[in-house]
Amino acid sequence: MKAGIIGLASSGKTTLTGAFMGTSKKSKGIGIVHVPDDRLFELAKIYSPEKTTPATVQIEDLPPLDTQIKEEKVKFFEKGKTMDVQILCTGGYRCYSTEDIINEISKLRFELIIQDLDIVTKRLEKIEGEIKKAPKTKAQKEGEIKLLEMLRKTLEEEKFPSPNSLDLDEHQKILTNNYSFFTLKPSVYVINVSQEQYIEKREDIEDSVKKYLEETGDNAPFVIIDAFTEADIMDMEEDEINEFLKEFGLKEPGKNKIIRYVYNLLGLITFFTVGEDEVRAWNIHRGDNAVNAAGAIHSDLARGFIRAEVVESDYLLKVGSLNAAKSQGKLRLEGKDYIVKDGDVVNILFNV
């Protein structure tokens, strides 16, 4: 599961990547990013393990969306298609006013619309040629033609199509996934502003962005950050970071909010395993069962699955141990069909 950072040139996306990777230096490429979760470190306080391991997501910095370099255009398109979630980075040094920021968001959206409109147009032209060569195939292609025509109409109106409003059948849903349209991918906007704008105009910018997205029918979440400051604090000691955040009236770095949005948009939840050797957060898809969770840990656990011992992390933190949870009847035995919930502490019983 991957998230791609997408933005126009000079939007600050590469600086943002550096913040994700934990460095103030510009960072290009792929990085594995820890998912912030206070529950993990609270559980670690109980067990004092040799190792504490957070859940992770993969984030990749893509070439600028508006690049004129052919090789970068090809790379953007090929890489972008494989991303499960988009981090749409807008703003940067060109944005001196709130109006500039809205214009940048509009430009970014327009570039994504153009990308998808090109895909739709080329595919319709190809289908038309295929039908001319084999007229009998027209009936079986009608579903795809209808889908593409709906998408083209929406895109030509400079809107992002909504999966809920398209009313697709199963075949059309498969086709849509195969095309990997940029305007249909789950997204979070990152509004990159200067430190001065962040301090003095953050609320005004937030209100304006919210209003603009509502007017365009875009319900994607957004986070306002100062990417340079986010990257700089990665070189600070923990006490310095806490003091810095306190000065700005913040509980945590903005990048943490972005990562959580990405995690949620990927459809992931977290469960935990605990012990003196390691306390670890694992990610699985929302709706996965206990065998899926066992398989996330190791294939042998899934293959030899017998039962899962389960307790909510909040309750474990309250009582302080699995034995205490068990004595109070809160450590449950669950079978293979149990749907794991976010925050569950799970111990797999297995035999191989």
Side-chain angles (χ1 to χ4, degrees):
M1 303 294 285
K2 298 179 289 186
I5 302 180
I6 292 174
L8 304 174
S10 303
S11 62
K13 66 184 188 62
T14 305
T15 306
L16 177 64
T17 308
F20 281 132
M21 306 313 169
T23 174
S24 61
K25 298 177 182 178
K26 288 186 177 181
S27 173
K28 287 188 176 182
I30 301 172
I32 302 299
V33 178
H34 293 167
V35 177
D37 195 325
D38 292 340
R39 298 171 299 183
L40 173 69
F41 297 101
E42 290 300 314
L43 288 169
K45 288 178 184 178
I46 294 176
Y47 289 91
S48 301
E50 295 178 12
K51 191 177 181 182
T52 302
T53 307
T56 61
V57 293
Q58 181 175 306
I59 292 179
E60 184 167 355
D61 181 22
L62 303 183
L65 181 53
D66 54 346
T67 182
Q68 298 305 308
I69 302 171
K70 184 178 179 181
E71 291 79 8
E72 287 195 341
K73 279 182 176 290
V74 172
K75 183 179 179 182
F76 170 83
F77 187 74
E78 292 302 320
K79 289 280 187 181
K81 287 195 303 182
T82 69
M83 297 298 143
D84 301 290
V85 166
Q86 297 172 151
I87 301 170
L88 302 178
C89 186
T90 68
Y93 74 89
R94 292 189 299 268
C95 296
Y96 298 103
S97 67
T98 302
E99 185 179 356
D100 291 337
I101 291 169
I102 299 302
N103 286 338
E104 283 293 295
I105 299 173
S106 180
K107 287 177 185 176
L108 175 61
R109 285 170 52 85
F110 182 73
E111 289 289 341
L112 291 172
I113 286 168
I114 291 298
Q115 291 278 349
D116 284 354
L117 194 53
D118 185 54
I119 296 171
V120 169
T121 303
K122 286 179 178 176
R123 180 56 188 156
L124 281 170
E125 289 173 353
K126 187 175 181 181
I127 291 175
E128 186 180 337
E130 290 172 350
I131 291 174
K132 281 182 180 179
K133 290 180 181 178
K136 291 182 179 179
T137 63
K138 183 178 180 179
Q140 68 188 58
K141 296 181 185 296
E142 283 181 352
E144 184 176 4
I145 293 170
K146 182 181 177 183
L147 166 65
L148 294 170
E149 291 288 4
M150 284 191 295
L151 290 170
R152 181 162 67 178
K153 182 178 183 297
T154 303
L155 294 168
E156 285 178 344
E157 292 172 353
E158 297 186 17
K159 296 178 181 178
F160 279 19
S162 166
N164 295 329
S165 65
L166 290 175
D167 191 26
L168 307 180
D169 61 33
E170 288 304 314
H171 177 60
Q172 289 171 327
K173 287 178 182 178
I174 293 169
L175 288 172
T176 302
N177 292 334
N178 289 342
Y179 285 132
S180 296
F181 290 113
F182 292 97
T183 55
L184 278 169
K185 286 182 183 290
S187 302
V188 53
Y189 287 92
V190 175
I191 317 301
N192 178 29
V193 300
S194 67
Q195 189 175 97
E196 181 182 357
Q197 287 172 318
Y198 190 86
I199 296 170
E200 299 178 3
K201 301 179 181 179
R202 186 173 67 201
E203 289 185 3
D204 289 341
I205 293 170
E206 185 173 323
D207 290 342
S208 296
V209 172
K210 184 179 180 181
K211 182 181 178 182
Y212 170 78
L213 292 177
E214 285 176 351
E215 288 173 350
T216 60
D218 193 335
N219 61 1
F222 68 90
V223 179
I224 298 172
I225 66 161
D226 166 14
F228 281 110
T229 301
E230 291 281 334
D232 284 342
I233 65 176
M234 291 301 100
D235 291 333
M236 298 179 184
E237 298 294 331
E238 187 173 348
D239 290 345
E240 291 179 298
I241 293 174
N242 292 335
E243 187 63 33
F244 186 88
L245 293 172
K246 186 178 179 181
E247 185 179 335
F248 281 88
L250 300 172
K251 294 181 180 179
E252 61 181 355
K255 72 181 183 70
N256 287 9
K257 294 181 183 178
I258 301 167
I259 294 168
R260 288 197 188 97
Y261 275 129
V262 168
Y263 198 69
N264 185 57
L265 289 168
L266 286 169
L268 301 175
I269 64 165
T270 301
F271 74 92
F272 303 96
T273 53
V274 297
E276 294 180 357
D277 54 340
E278 183 180 30
V279 170
R280 180 163 180 166
W282 302 86
N283 54 354
I284 55 174
H285 288 95
R286 193 176 294 111
D288 278 354
N289 60 31
V291 176
N292 298 134
I297 301 170
H298 198 284
S299 59
D300 283 351
L301 272 66
R303 185 161 54 90
F305 181 90
I306 300 173
R307 286 280 188 276
E309 294 180 324
V310 181
V311 63
E312 290 82 5
S313 56
D314 289 347
Y315 193 83
L316 180 57
L317 289 170
K318 181 180 176 180
V319 300
S321 72
L322 289 175
N323 284 336
K326 187 174 184 178
S327 68
Q328 296 178 30
K330 296 295 184 179
L331 185 65
R332 311 184 310 274
L333 280 177
E334 300 286 0
K336 63 181 181 180
D337 294 328
Y338 171 72
I339 302 301
V340 178
K341 298 178 178 63
D342 184 68
D344 277 351
V345 176
V346 179
N347 179 44
I348 303 298
L349 307 177
F350 70 107
N351 182 29
V352 176

